[in-house]
Amino acid sequence: MSTSHPLYINGQWVTGAKRITNSSPSDLTDVIGEYDQASAEQTRQAISAARQGFAQWSKSGLEQRYKALMAIGDELITRQQELGELLSREEGKPLAEGKGEVYRSGQFFHYYAAEVLRQIDERAESVRPGVEIDVRREPLGVVGIISPWNFPMATAVWKIAPALAFGNAVVFKPANLVPASAWALTEIISRQEFPAGTFNLVMGSGGETGEALINSPQIQALTFTGSLEVGRRIASATVANLVKCQLEMGSKNALIVVDDADVDLAVEAAFNGSYSGSGQKCTASSRLIVTDAVHDEFVSKLIARLEKATVGHALHEGVQIGPIADKRQLDSNMEWIERAQADGATLAFGGNRIEMATEGYYMVPALFTNTTNDMAINRDEVFGPIACVIRVADYEAALTTLNDTQYGLTAGIITNSLKLASDFKARAETGCVMVNLPTAGTDYHVPFGGRKNSSFGPREQGQYAREFYTVVKTCYVRA
């Protein structure tokens, strides 16, 4: 029998309105468990509980917050093997990546535990004699958090940790595809000394649980990572209630490879950026923009690298690319491959479904050549292990192509020229820029976010997180 996993509301484990079964994409017979689903009414109850929890947590001492966040981080790091296996089982990324995600989640809690002790306000001089001014930051209130399925723990944590560190209460709705990691995280949080209602877990569908959260006038902020379509809907819902909103949405990242590039380095950067995590990353390099001089060598070596890649069960040793997260995403990938070929692109490698010893959602990573930037596959987010090579004449053409998109999250260049690297950093219309590195992979202590339709609202991570999770108060005093 599968173990049932209840909701967590107001400091209590609560039975949901119904349940779903969570199975591994590596092996559909591997049932991870049954997870309760919150009704709209239970979501509203969680918000009400959070408002009560906030009244206490916002006034808690810094040492209390510091110790709680440090303890959560310590346990995540200590249990990285166990929780990494759980994460990889339900999401499908190779075990090394699953363990790394759990470890990084622990680092996030440690970082924001330290930020608790760095909350130092500012003093300003008044233009009026005898008047003192203090500028301070205070917690917002109740923060709604909606996290995606591709990083079921890390993305949730980089929202939860700063929300709690700055004194807010949380109502957390994870993606319904990956409830196990969220539940395991909640179980750890539930054992810390938080006032009842400070943290709440409401697993459920976007149509019911998510809608109840984003439409609530009782929350003060909502942070979301997911698709552009859903992000726009959330923005419309939250603005109606004047709720502060932070959105991380779609992307169509590009890696430029120029004439003077180290081609071997470019191939590794492209492989890691395009195919790690089965390409299911908002930072994935789905467009590979390569200049004429190195195009043929780059394509030949990248195909050779793909031929050596091991696709398989997420928990099996030596696997570099796991299964696709679910059937809907796999079917979408196959439709994109058919559409790209119909539009004139050449399928240079892979792109086919494969059968393994266990029934799962497996496919060979795909590489397209002879693509143009106006093809649909180079305009819309695909979110799979599919990369497209776009051949251009030179660096200027490459940069123009890179910026010709509605998105602007990450961008990379492989070059040995300091001049080109400096020019690229200045002119790439993205929130994150990488030189001689994959586009996927960011540090946790610096700001993360994009431009154009990739992001909306203040940046995430690092000290920049306080811009979203706090409100500024200016205090005037005449002694």
Side-chain angles (χ1 to χ4, degrees):
M1 287 290 291
S2 299
T3 303
S4 62
H5 299 80
L7 312 170
Y8 187 69
I9 299 174
N10 200 26
Q12 301 292 324
W13 295 105
V14 178
T15 300
K18 54 186 177 181
R19 290 177 181 169
I20 61 167
T21 300
N22 184 25
S23 299
S24 170
S26 293
D27 180 358
L28 302 186
T29 66
D30 177 17
V31 176
I32 298 167
E34 294 181 348
Y35 292 83
D36 285 21
Q37 304 283 279
S39 65
E41 176 57 31
Q42 287 177 312
T43 304
R44 288 189 284 269
Q45 290 171 6
I47 294 169
S48 177
R51 290 171 63 85
Q52 297 176 25
F54 169 72
Q56 298 181 60
W57 181 244
S58 62
K59 294 178 176 59
S60 60
L62 298 185
E63 282 286 339
Q64 181 183 355
R65 294 188 210 171
Y66 171 81
K67 289 178 180 178
L69 268 64
M70 281 296 294
I72 296 167
D74 288 344
E75 185 165 347
L76 287 169
I77 290 173
T78 300
R79 297 173 61 189
Q80 63 179 294
Q81 177 70 37
E82 169 205 348
L83 296 177
E85 289 182 6
L86 175 66
L87 191 156
S88 292
R89 263 180 82 197
E90 76 163 348
E91 195 273 342
K93 63 183 57 175
L95 179 56
E97 294 184 38
K99 290 165 57 180
E101 181 173 335
V102 174
Y103 187 89
R104 176 55 61 88
S105 299
Q107 289 179 311
F108 274 117
F109 271 104
H110 284 172
Y111 177 86
Y112 283 108
E115 280 298 290
V116 169
L117 304 179
R118 295 193 192 102
Q119 295 182 53
I120 301 173
D121 294 328
E122 303 171 27
R123 179 182 177 277
E125 294 290 341
S126 175
V127 297
R128 293 169 288 175
V131 175
E132 297 179 351
I133 301 176
D134 293 322
V135 180
R136 62 181 63 189
R137 288 184 175 273
E138 297 181 349
L140 288 168
V142 178
V143 177
I145 294 175
I146 301 178
S147 64
W149 54 260
N150 61 328
F151 285 92
M153 189 169 288
T155 306
V157 164
W158 81 45
K159 299 173 185 292
I160 293 168
L164 295 175
F166 293 118
N168 300 288
V170 168
V171 179
F172 170 40
K173 195 207 91 64
N176 225 19
L177 186 62
V178 286
S181 297
W183 197 93
L185 173 64
T186 299
E187 195 274 331
I188 293 172
I189 293 174
S190 72
R191 288 187 274 102
Q192 306 308 316
E193 294 184 4
F194 292 104
T198 303
F199 181 86
N200 304 270
L201 171 69
V202 286
M203 300 175 288
S205 68
E208 183 170 6
T209 310
E211 287 294 324
L213 184 57
I214 69 175
N215 287 296
S216 173
Q218 302 301 315
I219 63 174
Q220 281 64 55
L222 189 135
T223 175
F224 162 83
T225 297
S227 70
L228 174 59
E229 177 187 4
V230 176
R232 282 175 167 155
R233 191 158 69 246
I234 289 174
S236 296
T238 52
V239 75
N241 292 317
L242 300 181
V243 169
K244 194 174 184 180
C245 185
Q246 178 189 67
L247 307 173
E248 289 297 333
M249 299 170 288
S251 62
K252 201 64 192 174
N253 313 297
L255 177 71
I256 291 177
V257 183
V258 294
D259 293 7
D260 73 339
D262 179 331
V263 176
D264 292 331
L265 176 64
V267 166
E268 283 305 307
F271 179 81
N272 291 327
S274 302
Y275 301 109
S276 63
S278 298
Q280 299 170 150
K281 296 182 177 183
C282 60
T283 54
S285 316
S286 53
R287 294 183 297 154
L288 305 174
I289 305 172
V290 187
T291 58
D292 283 330
V294 292
H295 175 275
D296 292 351
E297 180 185 2
F298 172 81
V299 170
S300 176
K301 288 186 173 181
L302 182 53
I303 289 174
R305 180 68 180 85
L306 287 166
E307 288 172 342
K308 296 177 182 177
T310 303
V311 179
H313 193 296
L315 301 184
H316 289 179
E317 186 175 351
V319 169
Q320 295 172 296
I321 300 174
I324 306 305
D326 69 350
K327 184 179 185 301
R328 183 172 64 176
Q329 185 62 51
L330 178 59
D331 289 343
S332 175
N333 293 346
M334 294 299 112
E335 290 170 4
W336 272 113
I337 287 169
E338 291 180 5
R339 181 173 180 179
Q341 290 175 294
D343 288 344
T346 300
L347 183 58
F349 183 86
N352 54 294
R353 299 189 187 196
I354 52 174
E355 294 183 0
M356 307 295 292
T358 55
E359 183 183 1
Y361 304 120
Y362 298 100
M363 68 171 285
V364 179
L367 178 68
F368 281 101
T369 57
N370 298 320
T371 76
T372 60
N373 203 49
D374 59 357
M375 289 181 176
I377 197 167
N378 283 324
R379 307 304 295 180
D380 299 328
E381 187 173 47
V382 175
F383 225 63
I386 303 171
C388 298
V389 177
I390 303 172
R391 187 170 191 155
V392 295
D394 53 25
Y395 167 72
E396 284 297 330
L399 186 64
T400 298
T401 301
L402 179 141
N403 287 331
D404 180 18
T405 175
Q406 65 173 319
Y407 298 113
L409 183 55
T410 67
I413 188 171
I414 309 297
T415 181
N416 284 312
S417 167
L418 179 59
K419 179 181 179 180
L420 287 187
S422 296
D423 184 80
F424 180 75
K425 287 191 294 180
R427 295 170 63 196
E429 297 172 357
T430 57
C432 302
V433 171
M434 282 74 168
V435 177
N436 293 328
L437 289 165
T439 59
T442 58
D443 288 357
Y444 58 88
H445 66 300
V446 292
F448 174 81
R451 295 163 64 170
K452 302 179 182 178
N453 285 340
S454 285
S455 301
F456 179 82
R459 288 286 190 261
E460 297 192 286
Q461 301 187 27
Q463 292 185 338
Y464 282 73
R466 71 177 186 164
E467 295 296 329
F468 180 72
Y469 294 100
T470 64
V471 63
V472 173
K473 177 183 286 184
T474 307
C475 305
Y476 297 85
V477 178
R478 182 185 294 276

